[in-house]
């Protein structure tokens, strides 16, 4: 819906300890957005509204 080339994945907080450590996920409801180089661009803990999330995706894609 955002028109951006993105990929997403979900980490099972209870079983995927290696990914939690790799992406420094301290809480179950953490969203990490990486830019096109794989560098963390934005991080949210808890719920985030659609407009804020889309703006963060655009920033990560270089489409401010």
């Amino acid at each position: 819906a955002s028109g951006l080339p993105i990929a997403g994945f979900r980490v099972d907080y209870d079983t995927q300890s290696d990914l939690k450590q790799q992406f420094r996920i301290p809480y179950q409801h953490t969203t990490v957005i990486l830019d096109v180089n794989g560098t963390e661009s934005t991080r949210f803990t808890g719920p985030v509204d659609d407009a804020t999330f889309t703006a963060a995706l655009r920033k990560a894609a270089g489409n401010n």
Side-chain angles (χ1 to χ4, degrees):
S2 68
L4 299 169
I6 61 169
F9 65 93
R10 182 181 299 241
V11 174
D12 183 327
Y13 189 82
D14 295 325
T15 63
Q16 295 179 304
S17 298
D18 54 337
L19 287 174
K20 284 191 320 190
Q21 183 176 359
Q22 179 181 350
F23 291 103
R24 298 180 335 273
I25 307 295
Y27 305 105
Q28 188 163 6
H29 300 286
T30 302
T31 301
V32 178
I33 297 175
L34 308 176
D35 66 16
V36 295
N37 298 312
T39 304
E40 184 175 322
S41 174
T42 307
R43 176 180 292 257
F44 300 109
T45 302
V48 60
D49 63 83
D50 289 344
T52 302
F53 187 72
T54 300
L57 291 176
R58 290 189 187 288
K59 175 185 169 195
N63 297 332
N64 299 333

Short mmCIF file of all heavy atoms in Angstrom, two decimals:
data_model
loop_
_atom_site.label_atom_id
_atom_site.label_comp_id
_atom_site.label_asym_id
_atom_site.label_seq_id
_atom_site.Cartn_x
_atom_site.Cartn_y
_atom_site.Cartn_z
N ALA A 1 0.81 -1.19 0.00
CA ALA A 1 0.00 0.00 0.00
C ALA A 1 0.86 1.26 0.00
O ALA A 1 0.43 2.30 -0.47
CB ALA A 1 -0.93 0.00 1.20
N SER A 2 2.08 1.17 0.54
CA SER A 2 2.93 2.36 0.61
C SER A 2 3.59 2.68 -0.72
O SER A 2 4.09 3.77 -0.92
CB SER A 2 4.02 2.16 1.67
OG SER A 2 4.93 1.16 1.26
N GLY A 3 3.60 1.71 -1.65
CA GLY A 3 4.26 1.92 -2.93
C GLY A 3 5.77 1.83 -2.83
O GLY A 3 6.48 2.19 -3.77
N LEU A 4 6.28 1.36 -1.71
CA LEU A 4 7.72 1.26 -1.50
C LEU A 4 8.17 -0.18 -1.61
O LEU A 4 7.45 -1.09 -1.19
CB LEU A 4 8.09 1.81 -0.12
CG LEU A 4 7.77 3.27 0.13
CD1 LEU A 4 7.94 3.61 1.60
CD2 LEU A 4 8.67 4.15 -0.72
N PRO A 5 9.37 -0.42 -2.14
CA PRO A 5 9.89 -1.80 -2.20
C PRO A 5 10.41 -2.21 -0.82
O PRO A 5 11.51 -1.85 -0.43
CB PRO A 5 11.03 -1.70 -3.22
CG PRO A 5 11.49 -0.28 -3.09
CD PRO A 5 10.27 0.53 -2.74
N ILE A 6 9.58 -2.92 -0.07
CA ILE A 6 9.96 -3.31 1.29
C ILE A 6 9.77 -4.81 1.49
O ILE A 6 9.05 -5.46 0.75
CB ILE A 6 9.15 -2.55 2.35
CG1 ILE A 6 7.65 -2.86 2.21
CG2 ILE A 6 9.40 -1.06 2.28
CD1 ILE A 6 6.82 -2.38 3.36
N ALA A 7 10.45 -5.32 2.50
CA ALA A 7 10.27 -6.69 2.94
C ALA A 7 10.12 -6.64 4.45
O ALA A 7 10.77 -5.84 5.12
CB ALA A 7 11.46 -7.55 2.57
N GLY A 8 9.27 -7.47 4.99
CA GLY A 8 9.06 -7.48 6.43
C GLY A 8 9.13 -8.89 6.97
O GLY A 8 8.91 -9.85 6.24
N PHE A 9 9.50 -9.02 8.22
CA PHE A 9 9.47 -10.32 8.86
C PHE A 9 9.17 -10.14 10.34
O PHE A 9 9.38 -9.08 10.90
CB PHE A 9 10.78 -11.09 8.66
CG PHE A 9 11.99 -10.47 9.30
CD1 PHE A 9 12.38 -10.85 10.57
CD2 PHE A 9 12.74 -9.53 8.63
CE1 PHE A 9 13.49 -10.29 11.16
CE2 PHE A 9 13.85 -8.96 9.21
CZ PHE A 9 14.23 -9.34 10.49
N ARG A 10 8.66 -11.17 10.91
CA ARG A 10 8.30 -11.17 12.33
C ARG A 10 9.23 -12.13 13.07
O ARG A 10 9.46 -13.24 12.62
CB ARG A 10 6.86 -11.61 12.50
CG ARG A 10 6.37 -11.60 13.92
CD ARG A 10 4.95 -12.07 13.96
NE ARG A 10 4.12 -11.16 13.17
CZ ARG A 10 3.13 -10.45 13.67
NH1 ARG A 10 2.80 -10.57 14.93
NH2 ARG A 10 2.43 -9.66 12.90
N VAL A 11 9.75 -11.68 14.18
CA VAL A 11 10.60 -12.51 15.04
C VAL A 11 9.73 -13.06 16.16
O VAL A 11 9.04 -12.30 16.83
CB VAL A 11 11.77 -11.68 15.63
CG1 VAL A 11 12.56 -12.50 16.62
CG2 VAL A 11 12.66 -11.17 14.51
N ASP A 12 9.76 -14.37 16.33
CA ASP A 12 9.03 -14.98 17.45
C ASP A 12 9.82 -14.69 18.72
O ASP A 12 10.89 -15.25 18.95
CB ASP A 12 8.87 -16.49 17.25
CG ASP A 12 8.05 -17.13 18.36
OD1 ASP A 12 8.11 -16.68 19.52
OD2 ASP A 12 7.34 -18.11 18.06
N TYR A 13 9.31 -13.79 19.50
CA TYR A 13 10.02 -13.29 20.68
C TYR A 13 10.39 -14.41 21.64
O TYR A 13 11.43 -14.36 22.29
CB TYR A 13 9.17 -12.24 21.39
CG TYR A 13 9.91 -11.53 22.49
CD1 TYR A 13 10.75 -10.47 22.19
CD2 TYR A 13 9.80 -11.93 23.81
CE1 TYR A 13 11.45 -9.82 23.18
CE2 TYR A 13 10.49 -11.28 24.82
CZ TYR A 13 11.32 -10.23 24.50
OH TYR A 13 12.02 -9.59 25.48
N ASP A 14 9.56 -15.43 21.73
CA ASP A 14 9.78 -16.50 22.71
C ASP A 14 10.79 -17.54 22.27
O ASP A 14 11.38 -18.22 23.11
CB ASP A 14 8.46 -17.19 23.03
CG ASP A 14 7.48 -16.26 23.72
OD1 ASP A 14 7.93 -15.41 24.51
OD2 ASP A 14 6.27 -16.35 23.45
N THR A 15 11.04 -17.67 20.96
CA THR A 15 11.91 -18.77 20.51
C THR A 15 13.13 -18.33 19.68
O THR A 15 14.06 -19.11 19.55
CB THR A 15 11.11 -19.77 19.66
OG1 THR A 15 10.62 -19.11 18.49
CG2 THR A 15 9.96 -20.37 20.45
N GLN A 16 13.14 -17.14 19.13
CA GLN A 16 14.23 -16.75 18.23
C GLN A 16 15.21 -15.79 18.92
O GLN A 16 15.39 -14.64 18.53
CB GLN A 16 13.66 -16.15 16.95
CG GLN A 16 12.89 -17.19 16.16
CD GLN A 16 12.29 -16.65 14.89
OE1 GLN A 16 11.54 -15.67 14.93
NE2 GLN A 16 12.61 -17.28 13.78
N SER A 17 15.89 -16.33 19.92
CA SER A 17 16.81 -15.52 20.73
C SER A 17 17.94 -14.93 19.91
O SER A 17 18.39 -13.81 20.18
CB SER A 17 17.39 -16.37 21.86
OG SER A 17 16.36 -16.81 22.71
N ASP A 18 18.42 -15.66 18.89
CA ASP A 18 19.52 -15.15 18.08
C ASP A 18 19.13 -13.87 17.33
O ASP A 18 19.88 -12.91 17.29
CB ASP A 18 20.02 -16.21 17.10
CG ASP A 18 18.92 -16.80 16.22
OD1 ASP A 18 17.74 -16.75 16.60
OD2 ASP A 18 19.26 -17.32 15.14
N LEU A 19 17.92 -13.84 16.77
CA LEU A 19 17.46 -12.64 16.07
C LEU A 19 17.17 -11.51 17.05
O LEU A 19 17.44 -10.34 16.76
CB LEU A 19 16.23 -12.94 15.22
CG LEU A 19 16.49 -13.75 13.96
CD1 LEU A 19 15.19 -14.10 13.27
CD2 LEU A 19 17.40 -12.98 13.01
N LYS A 20 16.64 -11.84 18.21
CA LYS A 20 16.40 -10.81 19.23
C LYS A 20 17.71 -10.14 19.60
O LYS A 20 17.79 -8.92 19.73
CB LYS A 20 15.77 -11.41 20.49
CG LYS A 20 14.33 -11.73 20.36
CD LYS A 20 13.66 -12.06 21.68
CE LYS A 20 14.46 -12.88 22.63
NZ LYS A 20 13.70 -13.37 23.77
N GLN A 21 18.76 -10.93 19.75
CA GLN A 21 20.06 -10.38 20.11
C GLN A 21 20.64 -9.58 18.94
O GLN A 21 21.14 -8.47 19.14
CB GLN A 21 21.01 -11.51 20.49
CG GLN A 21 22.36 -11.03 20.95
CD GLN A 21 23.25 -12.17 21.41
OE1 GLN A 21 22.85 -13.33 21.42
NE2 GLN A 21 24.45 -11.84 21.79
N GLN A 22 20.57 -10.11 17.74
CA GLN A 22 21.12 -9.44 16.56
C GLN A 22 20.51 -8.06 16.36
O GLN A 22 21.21 -7.10 16.04
CB GLN A 22 20.91 -10.29 15.32
CG GLN A 22 21.42 -9.66 14.05
CD GLN A 22 21.17 -10.52 12.82
OE1 GLN A 22 20.78 -11.68 12.91
NE2 GLN A 22 21.41 -9.95 11.66
N PHE A 23 19.20 -7.96 16.52
CA PHE A 23 18.51 -6.69 16.28
C PHE A 23 18.21 -5.92 17.56
O PHE A 23 17.49 -4.92 17.53
CB PHE A 23 17.22 -6.93 15.48
CG PHE A 23 17.50 -7.35 14.07
CD1 PHE A 23 17.37 -8.67 13.69
CD2 PHE A 23 17.93 -6.44 13.13
CE1 PHE A 23 17.64 -9.07 12.39
CE2 PHE A 23 18.21 -6.82 11.83
CZ PHE A 23 18.07 -8.14 11.46
N ARG A 24 18.76 -6.38 18.70
CA ARG A 24 18.60 -5.73 20.00
C ARG A 24 17.12 -5.45 20.29
O ARG A 24 16.69 -4.31 20.44
CB ARG A 24 19.42 -4.44 20.05
CG ARG A 24 20.90 -4.69 19.90
CD ARG A 24 21.76 -3.42 19.94
NE ARG A 24 21.15 -2.18 19.56
CZ ARG A 24 21.06 -1.70 18.31
NH1 ARG A 24 21.55 -2.39 17.31
NH2 ARG A 24 20.51 -0.53 18.07
N ILE A 25 16.34 -6.53 20.34
CA ILE A 25 14.90 -6.44 20.60
C ILE A 25 14.65 -6.68 22.09
O ILE A 25 14.68 -7.81 22.54
CB ILE A 25 14.12 -7.48 19.76
CG1 ILE A 25 14.45 -7.39 18.29
CG2 ILE A 25 12.62 -7.37 20.03
CD1 ILE A 25 14.04 -6.12 17.61
N PRO A 26 14.43 -5.61 22.87
CA PRO A 26 14.25 -5.79 24.31
C PRO A 26 12.82 -6.12 24.73
O PRO A 26 12.61 -6.63 25.82
CB PRO A 26 14.66 -4.43 24.88
CG PRO A 26 14.27 -3.48 23.80
CD PRO A 26 14.49 -4.22 22.50
N TYR A 27 11.86 -5.79 23.87
CA TYR A 27 10.45 -5.97 24.21
C TYR A 27 9.73 -6.69 23.08
O TYR A 27 10.11 -6.55 21.91
CB TYR A 27 9.76 -4.61 24.45
CG TYR A 27 10.46 -3.78 25.48
CD1 TYR A 27 11.23 -2.69 25.09
CD2 TYR A 27 10.37 -4.09 26.83
CE1 TYR A 27 11.90 -1.93 26.04
CE2 TYR A 27 11.04 -3.33 27.77
CZ TYR A 27 11.80 -2.25 27.37
OH TYR A 27 12.46 -1.51 28.31
N GLN A 28 8.70 -7.40 23.42
CA GLN A 28 7.97 -8.20 22.44
C GLN A 28 7.40 -7.36 21.31
O GLN A 28 7.41 -7.77 20.17
CB GLN A 28 6.86 -8.99 23.12
CG GLN A 28 6.20 -9.97 22.20
CD GLN A 28 5.42 -11.01 22.95
OE1 GLN A 28 5.27 -10.94 24.15
NE2 GLN A 28 4.91 -11.98 22.24
N HIS A 29 6.92 -6.19 21.57
CA HIS A 29 6.28 -5.36 20.54
C HIS A 29 7.24 -4.27 20.06
O HIS A 29 7.00 -3.09 20.26
CB HIS A 29 4.98 -4.77 21.07
CG HIS A 29 4.00 -5.83 21.46
ND1 HIS A 29 3.33 -6.58 20.53
CD2 HIS A 29 3.64 -6.29 22.67
CE1 HIS A 29 2.56 -7.45 21.17
NE2 HIS A 29 2.73 -7.30 22.46
N THR A 30 8.33 -4.69 19.43
CA THR A 30 9.35 -3.78 18.92
C THR A 30 9.38 -3.88 17.41
O THR A 30 9.38 -4.98 16.86
CB THR A 30 10.74 -4.13 19.50
OG1 THR A 30 10.69 -4.07 20.92
CG2 THR A 30 11.81 -3.18 18.98
N THR A 31 9.39 -2.74 16.74
CA THR A 31 9.50 -2.69 15.29
C THR A 31 10.81 -2.01 14.94
O THR A 31 11.10 -0.92 15.44
CB THR A 31 8.33 -1.89 14.68
OG1 THR A 31 7.10 -2.50 15.06
CG2 THR A 31 8.44 -1.82 13.16
N VAL A 32 11.61 -2.66 14.11
CA VAL A 32 12.88 -2.10 13.65
C VAL A 32 12.80 -1.95 12.14
O VAL A 32 12.49 -2.92 11.44
CB VAL A 32 14.07 -3.00 14.03
CG1 VAL A 32 15.38 -2.43 13.52
CG2 VAL A 32 14.13 -3.20 15.54
N ILE A 33 13.06 -0.75 11.63
CA ILE A 33 13.05 -0.50 10.20
C ILE A 33 14.48 -0.26 9.76
O ILE A 33 15.19 0.58 10.33
CB ILE A 33 12.15 0.70 9.85
CG1 ILE A 33 10.70 0.39 10.26
CG2 ILE A 33 12.26 1.04 8.37
CD1 ILE A 33 9.75 1.55 10.08
N LEU A 34 14.91 -1.03 8.77
CA LEU A 34 16.26 -0.91 8.23
C LEU A 34 16.22 -0.16 6.92
O LEU A 34 15.26 -0.28 6.16
CB LEU A 34 16.86 -2.31 7.99
CG LEU A 34 16.82 -3.28 9.18
CD1 LEU A 34 17.37 -4.62 8.76
CD2 LEU A 34 17.59 -2.72 10.36
N ASP A 35 17.28 0.60 6.63
CA ASP A 35 17.33 1.30 5.35
C ASP A 35 17.82 0.35 4.26
O ASP A 35 18.03 -0.84 4.51
CB ASP A 35 18.19 2.57 5.45
CG ASP A 35 19.67 2.29 5.71
OD1 ASP A 35 20.14 1.14 5.53
OD2 ASP A 35 20.37 3.24 6.10
N VAL A 36 18.01 0.86 3.07
CA VAL A 36 18.39 0.02 1.93
C VAL A 36 19.76 -0.62 2.11
O VAL A 36 20.09 -1.59 1.42
CB VAL A 36 18.34 0.79 0.60
CG1 VAL A 36 16.90 1.20 0.28
CG2 VAL A 36 19.25 2.00 0.63
N ASN A 37 20.58 -0.10 3.05
CA ASN A 37 21.90 -0.67 3.32
C ASN A 37 21.89 -1.65 4.49
O ASN A 37 22.93 -2.17 4.85
CB ASN A 37 22.89 0.46 3.61
CG ASN A 37 23.05 1.38 2.43
OD1 ASN A 37 23.25 0.93 1.31
ND2 ASN A 37 22.94 2.66 2.67
N GLY A 38 20.71 -1.87 5.08
CA GLY A 38 20.60 -2.78 6.21
C GLY A 38 20.94 -2.14 7.54
O GLY A 38 21.08 -2.81 8.54
N THR A 39 21.05 -0.81 7.56
CA THR A 39 21.34 -0.07 8.78
C THR A 39 20.02 0.36 9.42
O THR A 39 19.11 0.79 8.71
CB THR A 39 22.18 1.19 8.44
OG1 THR A 39 23.37 0.79 7.76
CG2 THR A 39 22.55 1.97 9.69
N GLU A 40 19.95 0.26 10.74
CA GLU A 40 18.72 0.67 11.41
C GLU A 40 18.41 2.13 11.14
O GLU A 40 19.25 3.00 11.32
CB GLU A 40 18.84 0.44 12.91
CG GLU A 40 17.56 0.75 13.65
CD GLU A 40 17.62 0.43 15.13
OE1 GLU A 40 18.22 -0.59 15.51
OE2 GLU A 40 17.05 1.22 15.90
N SER A 41 17.19 2.37 10.70
CA SER A 41 16.74 3.72 10.38
C SER A 41 15.81 4.25 11.46
O SER A 41 15.92 5.40 11.88
CB SER A 41 16.02 3.72 9.03
OG SER A 41 15.45 4.95 8.76
N THR A 42 14.89 3.41 11.92
CA THR A 42 13.89 3.81 12.90
C THR A 42 13.55 2.62 13.78
O THR A 42 13.61 1.47 13.34
CB THR A 42 12.60 4.30 12.21
OG1 THR A 42 12.93 5.31 11.26
CG2 THR A 42 11.60 4.85 13.19
N ARG A 43 13.15 2.91 15.02
CA ARG A 43 12.75 1.86 15.97
C ARG A 43 11.53 2.34 16.73
O ARG A 43 11.49 3.48 17.19
CB ARG A 43 13.90 1.59 16.94
CG ARG A 43 13.58 0.60 18.04
CD ARG A 43 14.79 0.40 18.93
NE ARG A 43 15.84 -0.28 18.22
CZ ARG A 43 16.14 -1.57 18.36
NH1 ARG A 43 15.49 -2.29 19.24
NH2 ARG A 43 17.09 -2.12 17.65
N PHE A 44 10.54 1.48 16.84
CA PHE A 44 9.34 1.77 17.62
C PHE A 44 9.17 0.67 18.66
O PHE A 44 9.40 -0.50 18.36
CB PHE A 44 8.08 1.77 16.74
CG PHE A 44 8.09 2.78 15.64
CD1 PHE A 44 8.22 2.38 14.32
CD2 PHE A 44 7.97 4.14 15.90
CE1 PHE A 44 8.22 3.30 13.29
CE2 PHE A 44 7.97 5.07 14.88
CZ PHE A 44 8.10 4.65 13.57
N THR A 45 8.75 1.04 19.83
CA THR A 45 8.38 0.07 20.86
C THR A 45 6.91 0.29 21.16
O THR A 45 6.53 1.38 21.58
CB THR A 45 9.23 0.25 22.12
OG1 THR A 45 10.60 0.11 21.77
CG2 THR A 45 8.89 -0.81 23.16
N GLY A 46 6.10 -0.71 20.90
CA GLY A 46 4.67 -0.59 21.12
C GLY A 46 3.96 -0.20 19.83
O GLY A 46 4.55 -0.18 18.75
N PRO A 47 2.69 0.14 19.95
CA PRO A 47 1.90 0.47 18.76
C PRO A 47 2.39 1.75 18.09
O PRO A 47 2.92 2.64 18.75
CB PRO A 47 0.49 0.66 19.29
CG PRO A 47 0.50 0.33 20.73
CD PRO A 47 1.92 0.18 21.17
N VAL A 48 2.19 1.81 16.77
CA VAL A 48 2.54 3.01 16.01
C VAL A 48 1.44 3.23 14.98
O VAL A 48 0.93 2.28 14.38
CB VAL A 48 3.93 2.88 15.36
CG1 VAL A 48 4.01 1.72 14.42
CG2 VAL A 48 4.34 4.15 14.67
N ASP A 49 1.05 4.48 14.77
CA ASP A 49 -0.04 4.76 13.83
C ASP A 49 0.46 4.64 12.38
O ASP A 49 1.66 4.70 12.12
CB ASP A 49 -0.65 6.14 14.09
CG ASP A 49 0.35 7.26 13.87
OD1 ASP A 49 0.53 7.67 12.71
OD2 ASP A 49 0.96 7.70 14.86
N ASP A 50 -0.47 4.45 11.48
CA ASP A 50 -0.13 4.20 10.07
C ASP A 50 0.69 5.33 9.45
O ASP A 50 1.64 5.08 8.71
CB ASP A 50 -1.40 3.99 9.23
CG ASP A 50 -2.07 2.66 9.53
OD1 ASP A 50 -1.43 1.77 10.13
OD2 ASP A 50 -3.25 2.50 9.15
N ALA A 51 0.33 6.57 9.72
CA ALA A 51 1.04 7.71 9.11
C ALA A 51 2.50 7.76 9.57
O ALA A 51 3.41 7.98 8.76
CB ALA A 51 0.33 9.01 9.46
N THR A 52 2.73 7.53 10.85
CA THR A 52 4.09 7.54 11.39
C THR A 52 4.90 6.39 10.81
O THR A 52 6.06 6.54 10.43
CB THR A 52 4.06 7.46 12.92
OG1 THR A 52 3.30 8.57 13.42
CG2 THR A 52 5.44 7.49 13.52
N PHE A 53 4.27 5.21 10.72
CA PHE A 53 4.95 4.03 10.18
C PHE A 53 5.31 4.24 8.71
O PHE A 53 6.43 3.98 8.29
CB PHE A 53 4.05 2.80 10.36
CG PHE A 53 4.72 1.52 9.98
CD1 PHE A 53 5.70 0.97 10.78
CD2 PHE A 53 4.35 0.84 8.83
CE1 PHE A 53 6.33 -0.23 10.44
CE2 PHE A 53 4.96 -0.35 8.48
CZ PHE A 53 5.95 -0.89 9.30
N THR A 54 4.37 4.76 7.92
CA THR A 54 4.63 5.01 6.50
C THR A 54 5.73 6.05 6.33
O THR A 54 6.59 5.89 5.45
CB THR A 54 3.33 5.44 5.79
OG1 THR A 54 2.37 4.40 5.93
CG2 THR A 54 3.58 5.71 4.32
N ALA A 55 5.74 7.08 7.13
CA ALA A 55 6.79 8.10 7.06
C ALA A 55 8.16 7.49 7.37
O ALA A 55 9.15 7.81 6.71
CB ALA A 55 6.49 9.25 8.02
N ALA A 56 8.21 6.59 8.32
CA ALA A 56 9.46 5.92 8.66
C ALA A 56 9.93 5.01 7.52
O ALA A 56 11.12 4.94 7.23
CB ALA A 56 9.30 5.11 9.96
N LEU A 57 8.99 4.33 6.86
CA LEU A 57 9.35 3.50 5.70
C LEU A 57 9.90 4.36 4.58
O LEU A 57 10.89 4.02 3.93
CB LEU A 57 8.13 2.72 5.20
CG LEU A 57 7.61 1.61 6.10
CD1 LEU A 57 6.35 1.01 5.49
CD2 LEU A 57 8.66 0.54 6.31
N ARG A 58 9.25 5.49 4.32
CA ARG A 58 9.73 6.41 3.27
C ARG A 58 11.12 6.93 3.58
O ARG A 58 11.97 7.03 2.71
CB ARG A 58 8.74 7.56 3.09
CG ARG A 58 7.45 7.14 2.46
CD ARG A 58 6.57 8.33 2.11
NE ARG A 58 5.28 7.91 1.65
CZ ARG A 58 5.02 7.33 0.49
NH1 ARG A 58 6.00 7.11 -0.35
NH2 ARG A 58 3.80 6.96 0.15
N LYS A 59 11.37 7.27 4.84
CA LYS A 59 12.69 7.74 5.25
C LYS A 59 13.73 6.66 4.99
O LYS A 59 14.79 6.93 4.44
CB LYS A 59 12.65 8.12 6.73
CG LYS A 59 14.00 8.50 7.29
CD LYS A 59 13.93 8.73 8.79
CE LYS A 59 15.31 8.85 9.37
NZ LYS A 59 15.32 8.72 10.81
N ALA A 60 13.43 5.43 5.37
CA ALA A 60 14.37 4.32 5.21
C ALA A 60 14.65 4.06 3.72
O ALA A 60 15.75 3.68 3.35
CB ALA A 60 13.84 3.06 5.88
N ALA A 61 13.64 4.29 2.89
CA ALA A 61 13.79 4.05 1.44
C ALA A 61 14.45 5.24 0.74
O ALA A 61 14.71 5.19 -0.45
CB ALA A 61 12.43 3.76 0.82
N GLY A 62 14.67 6.32 1.49
CA GLY A 62 15.26 7.51 0.90
C GLY A 62 14.26 8.40 0.20
O GLY A 62 14.61 9.25 -0.59
N ASN A 63 12.96 8.19 0.51
CA ASN A 63 11.87 8.98 -0.10
C ASN A 63 11.27 9.89 0.95
O ASN A 63 10.13 9.71 1.35
CB ASN A 63 10.78 8.06 -0.65
CG ASN A 63 11.29 7.19 -1.76
OD1 ASN A 63 12.22 7.55 -2.46
ND2 ASN A 63 10.68 6.04 -1.93
N ASN A 64 12.01 10.86 1.42
CA ASN A 64 11.49 11.74 2.46
C ASN A 64 10.34 12.48 1.91
O ASN A 64 9.62 13.17 2.22
CB ASN A 64 12.58 12.69 2.97
CG ASN A 64 13.74 11.91 3.56
OD1 ASN A 64 13.56 10.81 4.05
ND2 ASN A 64 14.91 12.49 3.50
#
